[in-house]
Amino acid sequence: MRPAIDFNTFWDWTAAAEVLPELLTAFVQVTLLVTVVGTIIASLVGLLLAVAVQVLPVWLSKPLRWVMDFVRMTPLIIQLIFVSFVVPSGWLPLLWVGTVVIGVHYSTYMAESYIAGIASVDKGQWEAARALSLPQARTWRDIVLPQALRATLPSLGNWTISMFKDTPFLFAIFVVEMVTTAQQYGANTFRYTEAFTIAGLIFLAASLVTAVAVRKLEKSLAY
């Protein structure tokens, strides 16, 4: 007869209580900060890229698309390592180097979502704007972009959650975020189960909150 499995062998509530404050601190100071700032960078740069692709002449928009494809198709961890070596030591903290790299990387994904949203705007809207002799800037600001943003909001929310889950790649440039904190705690105490389980639950909770917030925002912007 097999001996009963002792739950205390796999889980120690004392270790869980000890590591929780460390993980929450790393989450707020690094993981959440990088995600919020990175999302702002990605959403703004992505919007600029999407509009630029639409309005620039072909000889400029085509090379821009090549650059976007290159950034999107290159692994994020490689970009983090490369840029961390290129940026002069001491010129910018590695935390902010990683934040900018992640933001720019995801801006190419968000740009594609914006482009799809712009394409979803009915052609009659463009024709009506031309018939009214509206300036191009006003057409984009008052007619095209509001409709495109409503269409792309769910996709942008998904990219934000993906960015949030990619923050552990910051370990490659020696930025100690939540997962690295869990790993370090496990290495020091040999209690990996508690550290990584709690880190995973924090990721899950934050992702669920983000998803719910995006859905509510989507409903509030619905026609």
Side-chain angles (χ1 to χ4, degrees):
M1 187 174 183
R2 283 179 132 185
I5 298 176
D6 185 5
F7 177 76
N8 293 327
T9 303
F10 299 96
W11 187 268
D12 184 348
W13 287 107
T14 302
E18 184 179 50
V19 72
L20 179 59
E22 297 181 28
L23 294 177
L24 289 175
T25 299
F27 171 75
V28 173
Q29 293 182 350
V30 180
T31 304
L32 185 60
L33 175 65
V34 171
T35 302
V36 172
V37 178
T39 299
I40 294 172
I41 294 172
S43 57
L44 294 178
V45 174
L47 183 59
L48 290 174
L49 290 173
V51 174
V53 166
Q54 300 292 322
V55 301
L56 290 176
V58 176
W59 63 275
L60 284 176
S61 63
K62 203 165 188 179
L64 180 59
R65 288 302 296 263
W66 290 341
V67 172
M68 291 167 57
D69 290 340
F70 176 81
V71 173
R72 190 172 64 255
M73 296 176 185
T74 307
L76 174 59
I77 193 170
I78 300 298
Q79 295 176 10
L80 286 167
I81 295 171
F82 177 79
V83 175
S84 69
F85 280 114
V86 170
V87 174
S89 178
W91 185 70
L92 190 66
L94 289 174
L95 173 62
W96 293 111
V97 171
T99 302
V100 172
V101 171
I102 290 176
V104 172
H105 179 83
Y106 271 93
S107 72
T108 59
Y109 290 96
M110 290 192 178
E112 294 297 333
S113 296
Y114 285 128
I115 290 170
I118 292 169
S120 70
V121 176
D122 191 270
K123 291 182 179 179
Q125 303 281 334
W126 295 91
E127 294 171 358
R130 290 194 206 98
L132 294 171
S133 300
L134 292 179
Q136 189 178 42
R138 187 177 176 188
T139 300
W140 279 96
R141 185 183 69 246
D142 296 338
I143 298 175
V144 178
L145 290 182
Q147 297 179 67
L149 289 175
R150 290 189 186 96
T152 58
L153 189 59
S155 177
L156 299 182
N158 289 334
W159 292 129
T160 298
I161 294 173
S162 295
M163 183 191 308
F164 172 65
K165 293 187 293 185
D166 276 350
T167 54
F169 283 130
L170 291 170
F171 83 93
I173 58 173
F174 309 106
V175 174
V176 181
E177 40 65 59
M178 186 170 60
V179 173
T180 304
T181 300
Q183 185 179 20
Q184 291 177 347
Y185 179 84
N188 292 331
T189 63
F190 300 102
R191 300 299 311 187
Y192 288 96
T193 303
E194 296 81 4
F196 281 107
T197 300
I198 294 174
L201 290 174
I202 293 173
F203 270 117
L204 177 61
S207 297
L208 289 174
V209 169
T210 303
V212 170
V214 170
R215 288 195 191 101
K216 287 188 175 181
L217 182 59
E218 183 184 358
K219 289 180 180 178
S220 68
L221 293 177
Y223 291 103

